Structure formats: structure tokens, C-alpha cells
Amino acid sequence: MKRALFEEDHEQFRELAVEFNARQIAGKYAQWEKEHQIPREVWQSAGENGLLGLAVPEEFGGMGIDDYRFRVVLDEEFVRSGHLAVALALHLHDDLVLPYLLAYGSQDLKQRWLPRFVDGSTITSCAFTEPGAGSDLRGVRTKAVRDGDDWLVSGQKTFIGNGAYGDAAVVLARTDGQTTRAGEDSFTLFMVERSEGYSNGQPFDKMGLRASDTAELFFDEVRVSDADRIGEVGQGLAYVKEQLPQARLAIAVAASAICTAAFDQALSHAGERSAFGQALTGFQNTRFELADLKTEAHVTQVFVDRAVLAFNEGELDAQEAAEVKLWASESAKKLTDKALQIHGGYGYIMEYPIAQSFTASRLLTIFGGTSEIMRETIGRAL
């Protein structure tokens, strides 16, 4: 069956993504993994090459591309090149921050933020999760108190990607002034720029995707202009729910790319590695395992491709996004484990691509809503 997701424009864009990976990342990525940091010049180069903020309208310096297939191309090429942490860092910027600015930001807010978003001069993060509030965002305790024409934001966030070296974050803060269990209208979103009172902890020592920094953020009465409020007061939680389909689709896209890469890596290794006088592919058990890998990677790709088209058509709802995220992320976890087993001891060495895929995939059933929350979302809809 021929894959029918892409057209000529997407394949031309793929050539740009391939060239960017080869020129800007290859040969340097391993060092970034050790340093827990992607150099700022990579972000700027990504901006110069038109790889950031694809959906930003032309009036703000972007290309106004609302076709999500271009983002799929980017993720596939980052994964195929083994540069998974770069894919994650850009995903946080484009899929977890940008949609809020585009959908709910005022014209003034867009004018001030979007050009910086596109050219790579400002690295952003999404600061929702807290030590006591992950999947349950009603437990968020970070607060924003009105002070004249400004707001004073105080609180702590954790597991924030791009948090250590980022310049700004979209922050979910409580604005109802209450301390009891939060309601639907208790939260507001703000674009908070690094300034006095805005600090971060050291990057976490993660098991994978190490080049993409993840850290705690601390806000100590950070002064935020009301002009940097995103949308209406009290609508923050509603906005988060509205943007869940894109956030979860993005994770499914990455998971599908990892499934395909895991199969390719396992097939290549099995064809080159010999045991008992023959290639691993000469053993029936290896062929059966590869057959399962190929089939599930294919099923996952078809499911995700259909979800991408549904998203483009405005038809991907929260339940369906949960379904595709659940399936793809769980498949990536399972398939990378099987592919690593085929590699034997080599699979446990981090310089091998399958080890990178294995540790990266383990995040995907947690990040963006755990598999348990996906099942709850689907179950409630039934």
C-alpha cells in the first residue's frame, strides 16, 4: 500500500529538513546530549531555514502554513537522523506554546512575540506541570495576583522542557484568589518572559532525550504586563483542553516515527550481525519478530496519518487524539524494546540508535498525558 499522506511540496520540504540535520546537527549531537543543551545558534539556524513557527501568519514573519503534514516531515527527519531531543525541543516550542498565542493572543501580543518565535531569537517552554499537579491541572497552585496594570506571578513548575535555557514560558496560573479546590474558571494563561524573580533549577539528569533540557521553574512575584495575558481571565483551563488534540497528535507523530525507525534499525542490525555461522535474519524467530515489528509500525503509521488528515480538516477531537496518542506511544515503547532485544548487548550501548530510540520512547506514554489518562479520557467518552 502506497503511503498517501504527502504531496510534492512536503517532499521538497523534507529535503530541507534532511539538509539541516546533516549540516547543523550531525557529528555534534552526542556532545549536546552530554551537555544537556542544544546550542542557541541551532535555534537561530532553524529560524533562518524556516523550520520554526510554520503556522505563524506572514504578517508576523512566518509562512502561514496550517498544514500539519509539514510538522510531520520535520519530526520524521529528526527521528530518522537520530536527533530525537531536537525534535522534542522544537515540538515544545511549536506544538505546546505557539497554538495558544495564535488562537487566543491579542493582536498586540502576537506582534510582540511571534516574530521572535519564528526567527529563533526566543526559546519558549510550556509551564503547566507542578510538583503536586501533573495530569490534574486543577491542582495547580501557581498564582497570579492583579497589581494595577500588571500581574504578580508566584509559584513553582516542574518537568519543564526548554526550562533551563529558555527565554519565556506560557504559564498556567490561578487567578481566582481562592485556596479551595479549583474550578473550571480558576485559571488564566500568561506569556511570562525571563526577568527579576524568574529562575530555574539545574537541568534534570534524564534517562533519555538529554540534549533537550528539562528543569524546574520558580516564579517569585514576577511582574507580568496584562498585555502578556493570553486570552480571557478565567479561561486558561478551557484553552488547555481546546488545544489538547494538537499536543497529543504531535506526540503520536513522533511515536510513529520512532516505531518505523526501530524496525529499520532492527532489520539493518539483524542483516549484518551473524550468530552460529549465519545472519540473524536466518533464524525463524528473528524473522517472526521483525514481521511483528514491521506490521505494528505500519498499522501505527496508517492510524497516525489518518489522524493528521483529520486534524487538518478540523475533525480530530479530544477522544480521538487520546486514542491515537495511546496507541502510538504504547506501540513505540513495545517496539523499541523488541528491536533492542534483537540488537543484543549492542542495544544497551547509547551510541547505537536503538538505545536512543528506547529511552526516548519511554517518555511518550507519560508526556502530554499518561496512558492511564488517555484511557480515562476515552472511557468517559464512551
Side-chain angles (χ1 to χ4, degrees), residues 61-77:
M63 292 187 289
I65 298 174
D66 60 359
D67 180 352
Y68 199 78
R69 291 177 291 180
F70 287 93
R71 283 286 309 143
V72 176
V73 168
L74 273 183
D75 271 351
E76 288 185 348
E77 291 311 316

Side-chain angles (χ1 to χ4, degrees), residues 120-165:
S121 62
T122 296
I123 300 171
T124 64
S125 59
C126 184
F128 293 171
T129 303
E130 298 187 0
S135 298
D136 178 18
L137 289 180
R138 288 198 187 187
V140 163
R141 299 178 64 182
T142 294
K143 63 181 180 180
V145 178
R146 197 64 186 258
D147 185 45
D149 293 332
D150 300 330
W151 297 81
L152 296 178
V153 177
S154 299
Q156 176 184 355
K157 302 291 183 177
T158 194
F159 305 137
I160 308 304
N162 297 340
Y165 302 107

Side-chain angles (χ1 to χ4, degrees), residues 95 114 116 234 280 291:
D95 288 307
L114 294 184
R116 300 159 58 186
L280 293 184

Side-chain angles (χ1 to χ4, degrees), residues 67-367:
D67 180 352
Y68 199 78
R69 291 177 291 180
F70 287 93
R71 283 286 309 143
V72 176
V73 168
L74 273 183
D75 271 351
E76 288 185 348
E77 291 311 316
F78 282 127
V79 171
R80 186 175 288 116
S81 301
H83 305 147
L84 294 96
V86 180
L88 173 61
L90 268 60
H91 153 68
L92 296 166
H93 192 69
D94 269 19
D95 288 307
L96 291 188
V97 178
L98 180 59
Y100 294 106
L101 303 183
L102 293 176
Y104 315 114
S106 66
Q107 190 71 7
D108 174 64
L109 184 144
K110 292 177 181 177
Q111 190 66 55
R112 286 182 294 106
W113 283 100
L114 294 184
R116 300 159 58 186
F117 203 98
V118 171
D119 65 16
S121 62
T122 296
I123 300 171
T124 64
S125 59
C126 184
F128 293 171
T129 303
E130 298 187 0
S135 298
D136 178 18
L137 289 180
R138 288 198 187 187
V140 163
R141 299 178 64 182
T142 294
K143 63 181 180 180
V145 178
R146 197 64 186 258
D147 185 45
D149 293 332
D150 300 330
W151 297 81
L152 296 178
V153 177
S154 299
Q156 176 184 355
K157 302 291 183 177
T158 194
F159 305 137
I160 308 304
N162 297 340
Y165 302 107
D167 306 299
V170 56
V171 176
L172 181 71
R174 190 161 183 177
T175 50
D176 63 357
Q178 302 298 312
T179 57
T180 55
R181 173 76 173 167
E184 288 284 341
D185 58 354
S186 296
F187 301 98
T188 304
L189 291 175
F190 297 91
M191 200 64 198
V192 182
E193 189 162 17
R194 192 177 287 272
S195 60
E196 184 178 357
Y198 182 135
S199 61
N200 59 268
Q202 289 296 311
F204 289 122
D205 188 13
K206 301 182 296 183
M207 65 182 289
L209 298 166
R210 296 159 68 89
S212 175
D213 65 277
T214 302
E216 292 179 295
L217 291 182
F218 305 97
F219 305 102
D220 183 10
E221 294 194 336
V222 178
R223 186 168 293 277
V224 180
S225 169
D226 189 55
D228 284 328
R229 170 172 47 83
I230 302 174
E232 300 298 322
V233 174
Q235 293 301 301
L237 204 57
Y239 296 156
V240 171
K241 291 179 180 179
E242 288 173 6
Q243 297 304 320
L244 282 177
Q246 178 170 343
R248 290 173 175 169
L249 174 62
I251 296 169
V253 166
S256 177
I258 289 174
C259 287
T260 299
F263 165 73
D264 290 340
Q265 291 155 10
L267 178 62
S268 176
H269 181 81
E272 297 170 357
R273 179 71 173 165
S274 295
F276 302 101
Q278 63 177 328
L280 293 184
T281 48
F283 295 94
Q284 185 184 63
N285 180 72
T286 303
R287 294 197 301 272
F288 280 9
E289 288 295 307
L290 289 170
D292 286 345
L293 284 171
K294 175 60 176 175
T295 302
E296 188 160 342
H298 192 181
V299 169
T300 302
Q301 183 183 78
V302 172
F303 189 16
V304 173
D305 284 358
R306 184 64 192 91
V308 169
L309 294 176
F311 179 77
N312 274 355
E313 296 161 3
E315 297 177 355
L316 186 69
D317 62 24
Q319 175 192 338
E320 291 168 335
E323 290 176 23
V324 72
K325 196 266 188 188
L326 172 66
W327 174 271
S329 62
E330 289 288 346
S331 293
K333 183 175 70 172
K334 179 170 62 177
L335 268 58
T336 54
D337 183 58
K338 287 187 175 183
L340 190 150
Q341 187 71 19
I342 290 174
H343 280 73
Y346 293 98
Y348 203 64
I349 308 302
M350 288 306 294
E351 67 183 68
Y352 276 74
I354 189 58
Q356 300 275 354
S357 297
F358 177 79
T359 57
S361 68
R362 196 59 192 86
L363 172 68
L364 302 183
T365 58
I366 301 170
F367 175 54

